[in-house]
Amino acid sequence: MGIRLEGRTDPDGSRVIIPIGDLDRDAAETLAAAVTESLAHPPGRLVIQMTHVQFCDSSGIVTLLDAHADAARLGAELVLADVSDHLRALFQISALDQVVRIVEESRG
């Protein structure tokens, strides 16, 4: 199916990446490239808004962990926002939620 990405910059300067589709092996490279581009001029905060992601496999989790590490190395914070209950449970099982901050809404 593939993944489509949208993006924006919030008034507070946070960059927001909005993946639409499944976050799987096929989508991982696309998301990683968008993260790299967003971090070219590091924002204080990079948000990946998960509203339109219903599936995430181990490749997606690794991509999110790599994004967190890249952001931290550049002095930015990576935040996952609007995570569904299903993905939240997956992130708890994988302990991703112990590494990457998860918030209810992309702003604030």
Side-chain angles (χ1 to χ4, degrees):
M1 175 181 169
I3 195 165
R4 182 169 56 96
L5 300 176
E6 295 181 1
R8 68 171 189 265
T9 300
D10 282 348
D12 68 358
S14 296
R15 293 210 180 97
V16 181
I17 298 173
I18 306 163
I20 301 169
D22 294 339
L23 186 46
D24 57 14
R25 182 176 51 88
D26 295 332
E29 187 175 315
T30 301
L31 180 59
V35 167
T36 298
E37 182 179 325
S38 293
L39 292 174
H41 301 286
R45 185 166 94 141
L46 175 60
V47 178
I48 300 179
Q49 186 177 350
M50 303 291 286
T51 305
H52 305 290
V53 177
Q54 296 303 313
F55 174 80
C56 181
D57 69 7
S58 59
S59 299
I61 291 172
V62 169
T63 299
L64 295 172
L65 287 169
D66 288 347
H68 168 75
D70 291 346
R73 184 175 41 81
L74 295 170
E77 177 187 26
L78 177 76
V79 176
L80 302 180
D82 304 319
V83 176
S84 69
D85 291 340
H86 171 74
L87 289 181
R88 189 177 293 268
L90 174 66
F91 294 163
Q92 288 172 343
I93 290 168
S94 67
L96 178 71
D97 68 329
Q98 300 298 306
V99 178
V100 180
R101 189 161 71 102
I102 298 174
V103 297
E104 293 300 316
E105 296 181 26
S106 59
R107 292 189 178 158

